[in-house]
Amino acid sequence: MVMYNRITAAAYRLLNQNKHSSFKIAHQRQLSPNFSRYNRSSSTSLAGFRHHCATVNLNQFHASYRWDLQKLSLVQFQNLSLIHHRSFGSVASTVVQRNPMFSTINSDDLIYFEKILGVKKVIQDHEELQTANTDWMHKYKGSSKLMLQPENATELSQILEYCNSRRLAVVPQGGNTGLVGGSVPVFDEIIINTRRMNSIIFFDKVSGVLVCEAGCILENLISFLDKEGFIMPLDLGAKGSCQIGGNISTNAGGLRLVRYGSLHGTVLGLEVVLANGSVIDMLGTLRKDNTGYDLKHLFIGSEGSLAIITKVSILTSPKLSSVNIAFLACQDYISCQKLLFQAKRRLGEILSAFEFLDAQAMNLVLHHLDGARNPLPSAIYNFYVLIETTGSNESNDKEKLEAFLVHAMESSLVSDGALAQDYSQATSFWHIREGIPEALMKAGAVYKYDLSLPVEKMYDLVEEMRIRLGAAANVVGYGHLGDGNLHLNVSAPQYDDAILAQIEPFVYEWTSRHRGSISAEHGLGLMKAEKIYYSKSSETVQLMASIKKILDPNGILNPYKVIPSSLVS
Amino acid sequence: MVMYNRITAAAYRLLNQNKHSSFKIAHQRQLSPNFSRYNRSSSTSLAGFRHHCATVNLNQFHASYRWDLQKLSLVQFQNLSLIHHRSFGSVASTVVQRNPMFSTINSDDLIYFEKILGVKKVIQDHEELQTANTDWMHKYKGSSKLMLQPENATELSQILEYCNSRRLAVVPQGGNTGLVGGSVPVFDEIIINTRRMNSIIFFDKVSGVLVCEAGCILENLISFLDKEGFIMPLDLGAKGSCQIGGNISTNAGGLRLVRYGSLHGTVLGLEVVLANGSVIDMLGTLRKDNTGYDLKHLFIGSEGSLAIITKVSILTSPKLSSVNIAFLACQDYISCQKLLFQAKRRLGEILSAFEFLDAQAMNLVLHHLDGARNPLPSAIYNFYVLIETTGSNESNDKEKLEAFLVHAMESSLVSDGALAQDYSQATSFWHIREGIPEALMKAGAVYKYDLSLPVEKMYDLVEEMRIRLGAAANVVGYGHLGDGNLHLNVSAPQYDDAILAQIEPFVYEWTSRHRGSISAEHGLGLMKAEKIYYSKSSETVQLMASIKKILDPNGILNPYKVIPSSLVS
């Protein structure tokens, strides 16, 4: 309860990353006009339905699994210049030591920055710095004395060239909406804020290619495109604050991934500035370009540790007019999987969301979330699935969705279901899925994990966690089933190290054993830099460090993050 | 004519890369049952139709354009160990010098390789080597004395570790279907053939994730998935020979890109072996994983110059049952663009191909291609467009396509059109688009260019080329309009250096000036390594070279290719 009180309504909006947003709802104008209820009336045989894996040579696959858990050594505790960051849901506090190779800012530095930027872009105001030093969840707090706000790549290039020569560490900061302490200083790093680079440069309605500066706020891009009849391939709850450069630096996932894929597929080009000040122009606008290594991918998801993004070219999609939303009940997890399989096949080209929650999540929502109402009140089911379709033809889409639902009912995959008939019903369906984090926080202490796992294994972890924790806690599973992204949450009356010790490192080890990812969409930042070996082989991490060394030999870009400290000299 | 005679029927099949294949046709079972003809009957006003660019700050965009054409220096001619490769459609022969740092194979090397691989995987047979030394177009021919066929990453690791320590250069070879001399030795490099790594390891029907070895032939994967009700996100004419590892190494584009996007979006994981023998396990099967740099992208499209791919994880899609094909005539190029714009909006979720050809291409096909018949014989139009839709519901798709076509006719975007009613008509429509390369070769000498350009500029190049060449040659434009990929072809009675000098470097400079790509989907290989600066900034190329140096410090992996010789020590 204390936690929830600390989070304001505005902050809560940001918290709703990865969930459906009010904006998206606001465009659901053409919902199916009749509200339909389906009740399972027959038990059509499931015989002949094949699911799971067609395993051709599974032994060979398992044999290749050898991520190096031995590398998971604890960081060395040292006495000098230590900062302790309390990470909710981690066994130990993260202990980081300031790198003594870095200089501290002096008056000559300030004179230089004011000379190249002008006074107003060199921020030393205590209040502004206070905000910029703190992440929005107030988990991480740095002590930077300086924020610079370059207006273009040339100014940024001058800044970085200087900082590199002076060994002044920097932290790139966009909307500062990250969840892993990646966008705030750890010590006294200079904050390089990208907000002044916020122009839309070019939009081509034929190809749908948008070129803009990195500091454009995502919501502004969404609004701009809306007027042109297009949508961004990316949408997330933090869109009112987050910037496209930050989205790309962290490879944000969000709500549209199941339909439009990851940013590695939709980002066509980037301009970045390296630590030494080199401006790298990879700002192509082409869907096809096989002239050498496609280096832009290095900077997508590297969390500002290899370069700072200054311009972006991204492929946008035409906005489609017809949206339908169904809320369904399934008796077991295998039915959810089969439903996903069927949805991909029968709704393939119009499927735009496939979200799931378990009965525990539903119970929490119904007990703690204002205005939440069960669309399927006749019974409590074990699982609920929210399906959204988006297409170009209302009657076709509705017909397709209804045929899919009838089939799902007849196949007993779905026990009950409701199809939203208007904006209000659509909103109430999404309210349940979106309201889970709020309900969890109202229920007490919560330990949160953002995991990618093979869909068929995903819920096993929730069930194993329930067995481990017994009556001590309420284990809740929900997430983007269509993307294989589980939000595992453990709810307890209050924080308790005994519970935490039961969860970690078990949850990371389990995820690693099933070749999952311990950070599906939030990145590593400061919070999980030392946990990278759970999801990456030691050879891969070594290679990451080698590439970091080439691009940022003095390690001035976003230090203490992403790369384990043992590999940073 | 001489060229065409040299290319056998089997080879011709391979030549049809990037075009619709017989396999794809074979699945067009559910074509629309009625053959419909549309004729323009009204001239509905186009007022209010907005097209082209919504330019917000174009000056800034143009200002950022500064690719370094000064770097386009000719390679130095030297007298020692020179090999001249005649590249059709290039001003000068490519002159390459053997790197004297590389060792030559001795008997101890052979003993070592036979010890680790066994005799049968160490190939010294003259005939086998003759084939492996030659690319399928017989443009490039190496003189390797040794081909190795490792069976797994462990064997490959031992080979590369040894070659690296001995400074023995190697060339990775999959199906050897490349078009730019990338998959054959230039001198005596050891050929590392991946054909023995050809197991399908794992397929998950819920997620659609396929994990297999790099030597799997694309067509075998397509057949395997077909039985499971899935399709590869990639299809191309060479599928009967090319291997998935080679497809990924060259970032193959092909026929399905407009629908499923590039391999950067669909490849989920890779296992690769570096030059020093390190096996890098990045074989994830997850759609979302934000734990550190996504290094697999470095190896997608790096043409075997950074590592050799041994295993692949790729996202496949459910096979949809309904396919419709329309063949349309447009009076001008702007109508083709508007039609593309409308198709993306009105057919968005079912559009699977949008190809175009000009009147010159159609004339060639009608004159030179056996069995070609104009589906719209009442007049000769300036442009033709082939549209394919693929969806899950036959009647819905047909209705959608027909509504789109009626609208296009009413808007005067389309002057005439035909909708295939059966397999035979669909085949005959695709035969025209696919038959253009054959028709071009029958017509005489041909200079071929594979370019990516902004859609709205694309055809300007064809028209400028016509003005440049006048009556001396027939300039033909066609390609994947939906992907912004132009196949520019210049047809002449015979090869003539005067014509070539009119085409090059003009075509490359024009492409560069419009921020296009001089290799949309074929890669650089040996043929275009020195031309990279037309499409990449000098800083980017420098960065490529730095990364090459880290991953392959002795430069043993596919030397003389991709990276300009001036940057390779």
Side-chain angles (χ1 to χ4, degrees), chain A residues 110-126:
Chain A
L110 292 172
I111 291 165
Y112 178 79
F113 292 131
E114 288 184 356
K115 193 180 117 203
I116 59 166
L117 297 175
V119 179
K120 66 177 181 176
K121 295 183 237 170
V122 179
I123 317 285
Q124 298 179 76
D125 174 74
H126 176 73

PDB file of all heavy atoms in Angstrom, chain A residues 110-126:
ATOM      1  N   LEU A 110      33.071  23.504 -17.820  1.00  0.00           N
ATOM      2  CA  LEU A 110      31.833  24.281 -17.939  1.00  0.00           C
ATOM      3  C   LEU A 110      31.981  25.411 -18.957  1.00  0.00           C
ATOM      4  O   LEU A 110      31.087  25.673 -19.755  1.00  0.00           O
ATOM      5  CB  LEU A 110      31.428  24.844 -16.572  1.00  0.00           C
ATOM      6  CG  LEU A 110      30.998  23.778 -15.564  1.00  0.00           C
ATOM      7  CD1 LEU A 110      30.816  24.396 -14.182  1.00  0.00           C
ATOM      8  CD2 LEU A 110      29.712  23.089 -16.022  1.00  0.00           C
ATOM      9  N   ILE A 111      33.131  26.075 -18.924  1.00  0.00           N
ATOM     10  CA  ILE A 111      33.390  27.157 -19.887  1.00  0.00           C
ATOM     11  C   ILE A 111      33.335  26.609 -21.311  1.00  0.00           C
ATOM     12  O   ILE A 111      32.723  27.197 -22.203  1.00  0.00           O
ATOM     13  CB  ILE A 111      34.752  27.830 -19.591  1.00  0.00           C
ATOM     14  CG1 ILE A 111      34.658  28.610 -18.274  1.00  0.00           C
ATOM     15  CG2 ILE A 111      35.192  28.735 -20.744  1.00  0.00           C
ATOM     16  CD1 ILE A 111      36.003  29.003 -17.685  1.00  0.00           C
ATOM     17  N   TYR A 112      33.935  25.449 -21.508  1.00  0.00           N
ATOM     18  CA  TYR A 112      33.943  24.850 -22.841  1.00  0.00           C
ATOM     19  C   TYR A 112      32.520  24.527 -23.298  1.00  0.00           C
ATOM     20  O   TYR A 112      32.114  24.864 -24.416  1.00  0.00           O
ATOM     21  CB  TYR A 112      34.813  23.588 -22.878  1.00  0.00           C
ATOM     22  CG  TYR A 112      34.785  22.933 -24.238  1.00  0.00           C
ATOM     23  CD1 TYR A 112      35.558  23.424 -25.289  1.00  0.00           C
ATOM     24  CD2 TYR A 112      33.938  21.852 -24.492  1.00  0.00           C
ATOM     25  CE1 TYR A 112      35.504  22.847 -26.550  1.00  0.00           C
ATOM     26  CE2 TYR A 112      33.873  21.272 -25.752  1.00  0.00           C
ATOM     27  CZ  TYR A 112      34.664  21.781 -26.778  1.00  0.00           C
ATOM     28  OH  TYR A 112      34.598  21.222 -28.027  1.00  0.00           O
ATOM     29  N   PHE A 113      31.745  23.865 -22.429  1.00  0.00           N
ATOM     30  CA  PHE A 113      30.382  23.483 -22.819  1.00  0.00           C
ATOM     31  C   PHE A 113      29.520  24.718 -23.115  1.00  0.00           C
ATOM     32  O   PHE A 113      28.736  24.726 -24.054  1.00  0.00           O
ATOM     33  CB  PHE A 113      29.730  22.618 -21.734  1.00  0.00           C
ATOM     34  CG  PHE A 113      30.356  21.254 -21.594  1.00  0.00           C
ATOM     35  CD1 PHE A 113      30.725  20.756 -20.346  1.00  0.00           C
ATOM     36  CD2 PHE A 113      30.574  20.454 -22.718  1.00  0.00           C
ATOM     37  CE1 PHE A 113      31.301  19.501 -20.223  1.00  0.00           C
ATOM     38  CE2 PHE A 113      31.152  19.193 -22.599  1.00  0.00           C
ATOM     39  CZ  PHE A 113      31.524  18.711 -21.347  1.00  0.00           C
ATOM     40  N   GLU A 114      29.678  25.761 -22.300  1.00  0.00           N
ATOM     41  CA  GLU A 114      28.897  26.972 -22.542  1.00  0.00           C
ATOM     42  C   GLU A 114      29.305  27.633 -23.853  1.00  0.00           C
ATOM     43  O   GLU A 114      28.483  28.218 -24.552  1.00  0.00           O
ATOM     44  CB  GLU A 114      29.032  27.944 -21.362  1.00  0.00           C
ATOM     45  CG  GLU A 114      28.276  27.420 -20.143  1.00  0.00           C
ATOM     46  CD  GLU A 114      28.285  28.376 -18.952  1.00  0.00           C
ATOM     47  OE1 GLU A 114      28.945  29.427 -19.046  1.00  0.00           O
ATOM     48  OE2 GLU A 114      27.639  28.048 -17.939  1.00  0.00           O
ATOM     49  N   LYS A 115      30.573  27.490 -24.189  1.00  0.00           N
ATOM     50  CA  LYS A 115      31.058  28.070 -25.440  1.00  0.00           C
ATOM     51  C   LYS A 115      30.427  27.362 -26.647  1.00  0.00           C
ATOM     52  O   LYS A 115      29.976  28.007 -27.585  1.00  0.00           O
ATOM     53  CB  LYS A 115      32.591  27.961 -25.485  1.00  0.00           C
ATOM     54  CG  LYS A 115      33.241  28.794 -26.585  1.00  0.00           C
ATOM     55  CD  LYS A 115      34.745  28.643 -26.584  1.00  0.00           C
ATOM     56  CE  LYS A 115      35.192  28.009 -27.899  1.00  0.00           C
ATOM     57  NZ  LYS A 115      36.466  27.339 -27.830  1.00  0.00           N
ATOM     58  N   ILE A 116      30.390  26.051 -26.607  1.00  0.00           N
ATOM     59  CA  ILE A 116      29.870  25.353 -27.796  1.00  0.00           C
ATOM     60  C   ILE A 116      28.346  25.283 -27.819  1.00  0.00           C
ATOM     61  O   ILE A 116      27.743  25.216 -28.886  1.00  0.00           O
ATOM     62  CB  ILE A 116      30.474  23.937 -27.962  1.00  0.00           C
ATOM     63  CG1 ILE A 116      30.191  23.047 -26.741  1.00  0.00           C
ATOM     64  CG2 ILE A 116      31.963  23.993 -28.253  1.00  0.00           C
ATOM     65  CD1 ILE A 116      30.464  21.575 -27.002  1.00  0.00           C
ATOM     66  N   LEU A 117      27.697  25.291 -26.656  1.00  0.00           N
ATOM     67  CA  LEU A 117      26.237  25.102 -26.618  1.00  0.00           C
ATOM     68  C   LEU A 117      25.468  26.389 -26.335  1.00  0.00           C
ATOM     69  O   LEU A 117      24.283  26.491 -26.662  1.00  0.00           O
ATOM     70  CB  LEU A 117      25.859  24.082 -25.539  1.00  0.00           C
ATOM     71  CG  LEU A 117      26.377  22.644 -25.712  1.00  0.00           C
ATOM     72  CD1 LEU A 117      26.014  21.823 -24.482  1.00  0.00           C
ATOM     73  CD2 LEU A 117      25.808  22.003 -26.968  1.00  0.00           C
ATOM     74  N   GLY A 118      26.097  27.330 -25.716  1.00  0.00           N
ATOM     75  CA  GLY A 118      25.376  28.483 -25.172  1.00  0.00           C
ATOM     76  C   GLY A 118      24.899  28.142 -23.770  1.00  0.00           C
ATOM     77  O   GLY A 118      24.757  26.963 -23.422  1.00  0.00           O
ATOM     78  N   VAL A 119      24.601  29.162 -22.996  1.00  0.00           N
ATOM     79  CA  VAL A 119      24.324  28.971 -21.566  1.00  0.00           C
ATOM     80  C   VAL A 119      23.068  28.147 -21.298  1.00  0.00           C
ATOM     81  O   VAL A 119      23.037  27.278 -20.442  1.00  0.00           O
ATOM     82  CB  VAL A 119      24.197  30.355 -20.862  1.00  0.00           C
ATOM     83  CG1 VAL A 119      23.887  30.174 -19.380  1.00  0.00           C
ATOM     84  CG2 VAL A 119      25.495  31.136 -21.028  1.00  0.00           C
ATOM     85  N   LYS A 120      22.015  28.384 -22.110  1.00  0.00           N
ATOM     86  CA  LYS A 120      20.717  27.769 -21.765  1.00  0.00           C
ATOM     87  C   LYS A 120      20.702  26.254 -21.959  1.00  0.00           C
ATOM     88  O   LYS A 120      19.829  25.558 -21.432  1.00  0.00           O
ATOM     89  CB  LYS A 120      19.590  28.428 -22.563  1.00  0.00           C
ATOM     90  CG  LYS A 120      19.669  28.173 -24.053  1.00  0.00           C
ATOM     91  CD  LYS A 120      18.501  28.781 -24.827  1.00  0.00           C
ATOM     92  CE  LYS A 120      18.697  28.440 -26.303  1.00  0.00           C
ATOM     93  NZ  LYS A 120      17.656  28.840 -27.182  1.00  0.00           N
ATOM     94  N   LYS A 121      21.658  25.724 -22.692  1.00  0.00           N
ATOM     95  CA  LYS A 121      21.675  24.272 -22.897  1.00  0.00           C
ATOM     96  C   LYS A 121      22.641  23.574 -21.933  1.00  0.00           C
ATOM     97  O   LYS A 121      22.894  22.381 -22.044  1.00  0.00           O
ATOM     98  CB  LYS A 121      22.050  23.950 -24.349  1.00  0.00           C
ATOM     99  CG  LYS A 121      21.005  24.435 -25.354  1.00  0.00           C
ATOM    100  CD  LYS A 121      21.388  24.039 -26.776  1.00  0.00           C
ATOM    101  CE  LYS A 121      21.482  25.258 -27.665  1.00  0.00           C
ATOM    102  NZ  LYS A 121      22.066  24.959 -28.990  1.00  0.00           N
ATOM    103  N   VAL A 122      23.210  24.364 -21.030  1.00  0.00           N
ATOM    104  CA  VAL A 122      24.115  23.814 -20.009  1.00  0.00           C
ATOM    105  C   VAL A 122      23.415  23.984 -18.661  1.00  0.00           C
ATOM    106  O   VAL A 122      23.364  25.082 -18.112  1.00  0.00           O
ATOM    107  CB  VAL A 122      25.474  24.541 -20.038  1.00  0.00           C
ATOM    108  CG1 VAL A 122      26.406  23.993 -18.952  1.00  0.00           C
ATOM    109  CG2 VAL A 122      26.120  24.402 -21.412  1.00  0.00           C
ATOM    110  N   ILE A 123      22.841  22.908 -18.141  1.00  0.00           N
ATOM    111  CA  ILE A 123      21.943  23.002 -16.989  1.00  0.00           C
ATOM    112  C   ILE A 123      22.674  22.621 -15.697  1.00  0.00           C
ATOM    113  O   ILE A 123      23.197  21.509 -15.585  1.00  0.00           O
ATOM    114  CB  ILE A 123      20.726  22.055 -17.151  1.00  0.00           C
ATOM    115  CG1 ILE A 123      20.157  22.107 -18.569  1.00  0.00           C
ATOM    116  CG2 ILE A 123      19.679  22.315 -16.058  1.00  0.00           C
ATOM    117  CD1 ILE A 123      19.377  23.311 -18.913  1.00  0.00           C
ATOM    118  N   GLN A 124      22.664  23.576 -14.765  1.00  0.00           N
ATOM    119  CA  GLN A 124      23.249  23.283 -13.451  1.00  0.00           C
ATOM    120  C   GLN A 124      22.242  23.539 -12.338  1.00  0.00           C
ATOM    121  O   GLN A 124      22.582  23.412 -11.162  1.00  0.00           O
ATOM    122  CB  GLN A 124      24.486  24.156 -13.226  1.00  0.00           C
ATOM    123  CG  GLN A 124      25.594  23.906 -14.246  1.00  0.00           C
ATOM    124  CD  GLN A 124      26.796  24.804 -13.993  1.00  0.00           C
ATOM    125  OE1 GLN A 124      27.586  24.576 -13.079  1.00  0.00           O
ATOM    126  NE2 GLN A 124      26.902  25.839 -14.802  1.00  0.00           N
ATOM    127  N   ASP A 125      21.031  23.886 -12.714  1.00  0.00           N
ATOM    128  CA  ASP A 125      19.968  24.182 -11.748  1.00  0.00           C
ATOM    129  C   ASP A 125      19.690  22.950 -10.875  1.00  0.00           C
ATOM    130  O   ASP A 125      19.478  21.845 -11.381  1.00  0.00           O
ATOM    131  CB  ASP A 125      18.707  24.585 -12.520  1.00  0.00           C
ATOM    132  CG  ASP A 125      17.523  24.773 -11.594  1.00  0.00           C
ATOM    133  OD1 ASP A 125      17.490  25.790 -10.889  1.00  0.00           O
ATOM    134  OD2 ASP A 125      16.661  23.867 -11.552  1.00  0.00           O
ATOM    135  N   HIS A 126      19.670  23.168  -9.559  1.00  0.00           N
ATOM    136  CA  HIS A 126      19.568  22.062  -8.610  1.00  0.00           C
ATOM    137  C   HIS A 126      18.291  21.254  -8.810  1.00  0.00           C
ATOM    138  O   HIS A 126      18.311  20.015  -8.838  1.00  0.00           O
ATOM    139  CB  HIS A 126      19.622  22.597  -7.172  1.00  0.00           C
ATOM    140  CG  HIS A 126      19.437  21.516  -6.150  1.00  0.00           C
ATOM    141  ND1 HIS A 126      20.419  20.581  -5.873  1.00  0.00           N
ATOM    142  CD2 HIS A 126      18.371  21.202  -5.360  1.00  0.00           C
ATOM    143  CE1 HIS A 126      19.979  19.751  -4.942  1.00  0.00           C
ATOM    144  NE2 HIS A 126      18.730  20.099  -4.612  1.00  0.00           N
TER     145      HIS A 126
END
